[in-house]
Amino acid sequence: MKINVVKSVLEASDTMARENRDRLDKAGVTAINIMSAPGSGKTTLLQKTIPVVMRSGRCAVLVGDLQTTRDAERMADLGAPVVQINTGRGCHLSPAEVARGIDYLDLSAIDFLFIENVGNMICPVAFDLGEHLRVVLLSVPEGEDKVAKYPTLFQSADAILLTKMDLAAALNYDVSCIRDDLSRINTRAPLMEVSAQAGTGFQEWLTWLAGQRRV
Amino acid sequence: MKINVVKSVLEASDTMARENRDRLDKAGVTAINIMSAPGSGKTTLLQKTIPVVMRSGRCAVLVGDLQTTRDAERMADLGAPVVQINTGRGCHLSPAEVARGIDYLDLSAIDFLFIENVGNMICPVAFDLGEHLRVVLLSVPEGEDKVAKYPTLFQSADAILLTKMDLAAALNYDVSCIRDDLSRINTRAPLMEVSAQAGTGFQEWLTWLAGQRRV
């Protein structure tokens, strides 16, 4: 008797993620899944990062949003191919969407693939997209309680950027709360304090990133 | 032949939401579902609102978070009953969770039930909790593109609060972008500009809120 098995959504998703990673590995691409709440500065980080990466290497971007191509437009003139994925009501990127996005790219021509996920601190965490690394952003105005309130997101991070540091003084922001909470759940990922407005802290990020490039 | 029907998750959810609304209606309670990204100021708004409401009436709070009781603790000393709902990995409050939360409250003793949803601009939108009104918060540091990028959230709002207005000047924030985008998708909901830091704009919100009270 033949037993038909309907795979769970997450199991099927993980299979697709592995296929994505295989494709990326064969092409020598390092894929980075960038996650945060809406408005934490994911696109701004990429606007700062892409021109520097392009000096010594090549990169491409997949960017997920429910609607609009605004993020892709913000990155369109930086010299790297950008694919906008509109998820409609989807609250996270899926590996199937990433696979379709990769179809638009010449993987042999890039070193880094940045995947800017949908702005959401919860749902994207559960979905492996086939990335090699996860970078999580948290912006100062979101408050000091977010590591404790969204531990699964921060646990899964390989690097964490605390953004909009220029607002820290005005908001009386205490970075030690973040460091304390991280010390309990993730001591592996570096915490880097940056400000796009002030132009500070990006060297540490760019150095970390350069260290993730494959030979 | 008997046909067994498994109701869709959303259909079962809507039935529970209607049951919640019936209970609230019978008790004369106005329930307000408060939604926003993480760190937009939902709890701060309630900290400002509860003491004023308590002068002329009575209220209670259900507050949803993945983890911790930090939000409930911030509101614990304001004189209103507060129930913390921990959703674990759940990315939105469900009507079943709200029903269990309501079980802890004496509905006959309150005029307003504030339901602070999980910080998320996407998933909570699809779930009716049994509320009468939806209030959406957007904070200035999240950027000017959020109405266009999350239209379903803003479409469903009965009132919208633009929070952290004290940061607008430093961030060169253009409120007219928000107003333009809203004019295309929701002309019904008032947009109220507030700042908890500066203590501005709350009178408009409190007046609007007072107008929603049942007799």
Side-chain angles (χ1 to χ4, degrees):
Chain A
M1 187 172 129
K2 188 163 174 291
I3 299 174
N4 290 303
V5 179
V6 177
K7 274 197 255 182
S8 78
V9 173
L10 260 177
E11 196 184 329
S13 176
D14 283 346
T15 303
M16 267 184 284
R18 272 194 300 274
E19 289 167 5
N20 287 347
R21 195 152 28 235
D22 283 348
R23 285 173 75 183
L24 295 160
D25 284 341
K26 278 179 191 138
V29 176
T30 301
I32 300 183
N33 184 355
I34 305 175
M35 297 185 284
S36 79
S40 299
K42 295 182 291 299
T43 308
T44 300
L45 177 70
L46 287 173
Q47 286 177 300
K48 292 262 174 195
T49 303
I50 293 165
V52 180
V53 171
M54 299 290 282
R55 272 183 233 151
S56 58
R58 301 149 307 164
C59 63
V61 182
L62 304 181
V63 52
D65 279 300
L66 274 67
Q67 308 253 352
T68 82
T69 54
R70 291 196 186 194
D71 285 358
E73 287 159 28
R74 286 171 61 191
M75 294 183 274
D77 296 329
L78 300 174
V82 178
V83 180
Q84 176 84 51
I85 299 170
N86 280 143
T87 62
R89 286 166 190 260
C91 50
H92 59 85
L93 282 177
S94 69
E97 288 163 332
V98 168
R100 288 200 297 275
I102 291 175
D103 287 341
Y104 286 95
L105 302 172
D106 176 7
L107 289 185
S108 70
I110 60 172
D111 306 302
F112 285 107
L113 175 64
F114 299 110
I115 306 168
E116 183 184 327
N117 220 312
V118 175
N120 182 336
M121 296 181 89
I122 309 166
C123 316
V125 184
F127 290 83
D128 181 5
L129 302 178
E131 74 271 17
H132 301 96
L133 296 161
R134 290 183 166 197
V135 171
V136 171
L137 275 65
L138 173 65
S139 73
V140 162
E142 290 167 51
E144 293 133 337
D145 56 356
K146 294 300 172 294
V147 173
K149 288 173 81 174
Y150 298 88
T152 52
L153 173 67
F154 290 94
Q155 263 157 4
S156 79
D158 295 293
I160 300 164
L161 279 89
L162 190 56
T163 65
K164 310 193 190 186
M165 277 301 292
D166 51 291
L167 298 172
L171 297 173
N172 232 331
Y173 193 83
D174 187 359
V175 179
S176 70
C177 294
I178 299 295
R179 294 200 179 272
D180 280 1
D181 286 338
L182 280 177
S183 72
R184 277 183 284 278
I185 63 158
N186 186 342
T187 52
R188 183 176 51 85
L191 177 69
M192 300 179 259
E193 302 174 20
V194 303
S195 163
Q197 197 94 337
T200 53
F202 287 101
Q203 198 46 58
E204 188 184 358
W205 153 249
L206 293 166
T207 304
W208 179 86
L209 186 64
Q212 313 305 324
R213 185 172 165 179
R214 310 206 176 175
V215 256
Chain B
M1 186 174 130
K2 190 164 173 289
I3 299 172
N4 292 302
V5 178
V6 177
K7 274 197 256 182
S8 78
V9 173
L10 261 178
E11 197 185 330
S13 177
D14 283 345
T15 303
M16 268 185 283
R18 273 195 300 274
E19 289 167 5
N20 287 348
R21 195 151 30 235
D22 282 348
R23 284 172 76 184
L24 294 160
D25 284 340
K26 278 179 190 136
V29 176
T30 302
I32 299 182
N33 185 354
I34 305 175
M35 297 185 285
S36 79
S40 300
K42 296 182 290 301
T43 308
T44 300
L45 178 70
L46 287 173
Q47 286 178 299
K48 292 264 174 193
T49 304
I50 293 165
V52 179
V53 171
M54 299 291 281
R55 274 184 230 150
S56 59
R58 299 149 308 165
C59 64
V61 182
L62 303 181
V63 52
D65 278 301
L66 274 69
Q67 307 253 353
T68 81
T69 54
R70 292 195 186 195
D71 285 357
E73 287 160 27
R74 286 170 62 191
M75 294 183 274
D77 296 329
L78 300 175
V82 178
V83 180
Q84 176 84 51
I85 300 170
N86 281 143
T87 62
R89 285 166 191 261
C91 50
H92 58 86
L93 282 176
S94 69
E97 288 163 332
V98 167
R100 288 199 298 275
I102 291 175
D103 287 341
Y104 286 96
L105 302 172
D106 176 6
L107 289 185
S108 70
I110 60 172
D111 307 302
F112 284 106
L113 175 64
F114 298 111
I115 306 169
E116 183 184 328
N117 219 313
V118 175
N120 183 335
M121 296 181 90
I122 309 165
C123 316
V125 184
F127 290 84
D128 181 6
L129 302 177
E131 75 271 18
H132 301 96
L133 296 161
R134 290 184 165 196
V135 171
V136 171
L137 275 65
L138 173 65
S139 74
V140 162
E142 289 168 51
E144 292 133 339
D145 57 356
K146 295 298 173 293
V147 173
K149 289 174 80 172
Y150 299 88
T152 53
L153 173 66
F154 290 93
Q155 262 158 4
S156 80
D158 296 293
I160 300 163
L161 279 89
L162 191 56
T163 65
K164 311 195 190 184
M165 277 300 292
D166 51 291
L167 298 172
L171 297 173
N172 232 330
Y173 192 82
D174 188 358
V175 179
S176 70
C177 295
I178 300 294
R179 295 199 179 272
D180 280 359
D181 286 338
L182 280 177
S183 73
R184 278 183 283 278
I185 64 158
N186 185 342
T187 52
R188 184 175 51 86
L191 176 70
M192 299 179 261
E193 302 175 19
V194 303
S195 163
Q197 198 96 335
T200 54
F202 288 100
Q203 198 47 58
E204 189 186 356
W205 153 250
L206 293 166
T207 303
W208 179 87
L209 185 65
Q212 313 304 324
R213 186 173 165 178
R214 311 207 177 174
V215 259

